[in-house]
Amino acid sequence: MMASEKPSTPENVHQPLLSSSKHHRALKQRNTLICIIVWAVVLATVCVVISVFATRPFYSAGNCHSGGKNILFIIVDDLRPTLGCYGDSSMITPNIDQLAKRGIKFNQVFAQQAVCGPSRTSLLTSRRPDTTFTYDQHTFWRTFAGNFRTLPQHFKESGYYTVSVGKVFHPGKASNMTDDYPYSWSQEPYHPSTQQYKMAKVCPSPDGKLHMNLVCPVKVDSQPESTLPDIQSMQYARDFLKHFATTYDSENCVKPFFLAVGFHKPHIPLKFPLEYLDLYPLSSVSLAPDPRYPSDMPPVAWNPWMDLRKRDDVKNYKVSFPYGELPEKFQREIRQGYFASISYMDDLVGQLLGTLEETGFASNTLVVFLGDHGWSLGEHQEWSKFSNFEVALRVPLLISIPHITDLIDGFRQPFSYVPVMRNTFEKENNSTVALKESYREVNELVELVDLYPTLAELAEIPLVPLCPLISNETDFCTEGSSLKPLIDKAVYATTSLEDSISWKSAVFSQYPRPSVQPMKISDSPELNDIHIMGYTMRTDKYRYTEWMDFDPKTLKANWTSVHAQELYLHEDDPLEDHNKAGFREYKKLVANLSKQLREGWRAELPKVQ
């Protein structure tokens, strides 16, 4: 030991050892804490990545359709052409009207059956109800009729990333409880959580209680989850576009998207933000122009609107079944609610299209806007869909093609979102502006089955061949016709269409019934209860319908056992109020139309000269 060193003592030997021990424990605690923090950050990061990829697609490099047009497919439930761009001066729909200005407006478009499941199955497979065997809301075509390739599936198999938001396929049994995932969609379809309150008592009423009403204006903040289904769907679709804008596959090949967005409104319940009622003061809302049961309407044609009768506010009136009338004031309130629901939906469509523009996708995205079928607003004393009348079958259809239909003076016109709830002056002038606008229009007869082959041709993916006579074993074909010749005619103002193609002169739809007389299941009979089928044909001048026996076991109609006929002369009777089928002077016309109806849609296919 060196002389300068002091002898060790228990105190000066053990004190440093004790300090070192405390320091070691503190260091260990600190390291443990750091580890916990690091793992927490890692876990949080993983959770964020997972949540992002729940809405962001994950790509493989294979099967990339580089440079293809994106598709934004907007389908609206129960929407008839009650829009400003379709000439309804009372409607406030500035965003849809703006889309119409940037696209093609089809004026004579008809669903193949006026109820959600069969109509959507038909248009998304491009096959008619007699091929899909889907006449009710409970039949899945793949297991019952054939493994048909759908519209989104065709795009998916052609290299697109396909996404379903809201109501696209009819949910439930009609789409195998999966919205046809994974066949049709690249990720699980999104449904808004608040759609579960569709049949719930959430509607404020004059008695101060909540009820399950038909007409249901609400304060959004007071609703479950403080939102509404279509708001949720719109937000999800906008988020998808924002996320997709930064996503590429591993080989830097931009994968195009097929984004289908289904809005529920104006489907019942007519639940919408309360402020939209201000757009349509009840004093300005008229009754239907023909609000009475037509004397010549056969009973089998009648739709007893049982879906409305389930609602509490309708029950209050104790309307007799099947032909009782609703009070006139309540009729106006239903119409007011339908109009307000459309303006509410228009605002959401505007926000979605605004995001399409903001993300830079609009310049390479083909936009389609359509209704799945129409809706009666008191015409013939009827409400809802479930019939073969014009108001139940006719729908709006708009197609906007970037750099083709959206050009003005050679320059593409960007879409600009217009908030519907603006000052009174702007509200009063929106409809006036829409009526003064000029639109590219198609006036030829069109069917929703025509949409599938049209979009395939416009997107330049494999064309869809015509179905053979028996097509249940054919997975990929169409029972419609591409509308591209009509689009070319509208865009380029060419007369070559008349020179080269004879377009279809009739379109076809149908509706089932359980019996000749109205029953409480007449609106939506299940397959085993269908004993009558009504086939209807629309030409440029007439609507002709025959109601005949139908066997639910063989799925065949008996064309020799006709229970009723209807003939409406559209030039004199556009509302279809006067059935002329039984009049002697129209006997020859009825015979000719009956023959044409029996020859069916194949005889009306466009013919190349």
Side-chain angles (χ1 to χ4, degrees), residues 222-236:
S222 68
Q223 289 295 291
E225 303 179 42
S226 299
T227 188
L228 295 174
D230 285 344
I231 294 175
Q232 290 183 289
S233 292
M234 179 272 297
Q235 291 172 338
Y236 186 96

Side-chain angles (χ1 to χ4, degrees), residues 427-443:
K427 293 175 196 172
E428 291 174 348
N429 283 273
N430 277 333
S431 59
T432 303
V433 170
L435 292 176
K436 290 181 179 179
E437 292 280 10
S438 60
Y439 299 99
R440 293 185 179 91
E441 298 180 295
V442 168
N443 291 312

Side-chain angles (χ1 to χ4, degrees), residues 140-161:
F140 181 46
W141 76 92
R142 289 194 191 274
T143 57
F144 202 74
N147 192 28
F148 307 147
R149 188 187 311 181
T150 68
L151 170 62
Q153 182 182 2
H154 184 39
F155 275 84
K156 181 184 177 186
E157 294 179 1
S158 298
Y160 279 69
Y161 193 85

Side-chain angles (χ1 to χ4, degrees), residues 164-175:
S164 174
V165 179
K167 184 176 179 181
V168 181
F169 283 101
H170 186 77
K173 294 180 181 179
S175 57

